[in-house]
Amino acid sequence: MTSLVIPTSPARDSDLAARDQLTSLQGLLVLSMLMTESDDERQILHLATTSVPSFARCHLEGLYLLEGGWRAADTPCTRDEVRAEIEAQLNVLGSGGGALSVEGEAWSWAFPLRSLKGHMGYIVVGSQDEPPPDEVYLLQILSQQTSVALGNADLHARER
């Protein structure tokens, strides 16, 4: 029995990439809606941090909030000395986020959490390889939507 080989073309590959991106954006929209409907900070952070590998070929190193410190303690970034080194780098980066040097990772990045209230912290991710730009873009959107949901949850808590 012979197998059928279907040649791929650049146009077909481009169509597949566009479909994958659209699927990821739809997933991000659903996640954003779930986070925004919640007023529970822990649930919002759980949804955001556990979804990182769904949007990019990387993993969560940790989530750092300016008020409250490190969250998601079951991540690779659990040793105090590693966290202290990352915090020192975050202080230099400021509210814009950016590239980090994390022990054991070839690529790591701090995505800022910002809202109208101001800078709240970072989602810190790492990988053995730098993810492609479209995946980095999805992580930027994830951090933005997480910020919006956290801001809403804070507003609801203050109203109570």
Side-chain angles (χ1 to χ4, degrees), residues 15-105:
D15 288 346
L16 291 174
R19 278 192 214 129
D20 287 345
Q21 183 78 1
L22 182 58
T23 299
S24 294
L25 287 170
Q26 288 172 331
L28 197 50
L29 175 62
V30 171
L31 180 66
S32 175
M33 291 167 57
L34 289 171
M35 289 191 300
T36 303
E37 290 175 356
S38 176
D39 62 357
D40 182 354
E41 179 183 284
R42 288 180 313 170
Q43 181 183 14
I44 293 166
L45 296 177
H46 175 76
L47 288 168
T49 58
T50 57
S51 68
V52 167
S54 300
F55 298 114
R57 287 168 258 182
C58 59
H59 56 268
L60 178 74
E61 291 289 344
L63 192 137
Y64 182 76
L65 296 178
L66 299 179
E67 294 179 16
W70 288 96
R71 303 295 172 91
D74 57 341
T75 65
C77 179
T78 56
R79 295 191 349 248
D80 289 338
E81 61 272 11
V82 173
R83 286 182 171 186
E85 173 60 30
I86 293 173
E87 284 179 50
Q89 293 178 63
L90 293 175
N91 288 332
V92 173
L93 283 177
S95 64
L100 297 173
S101 176
V102 176
E103 182 182 314
E105 300 294 354

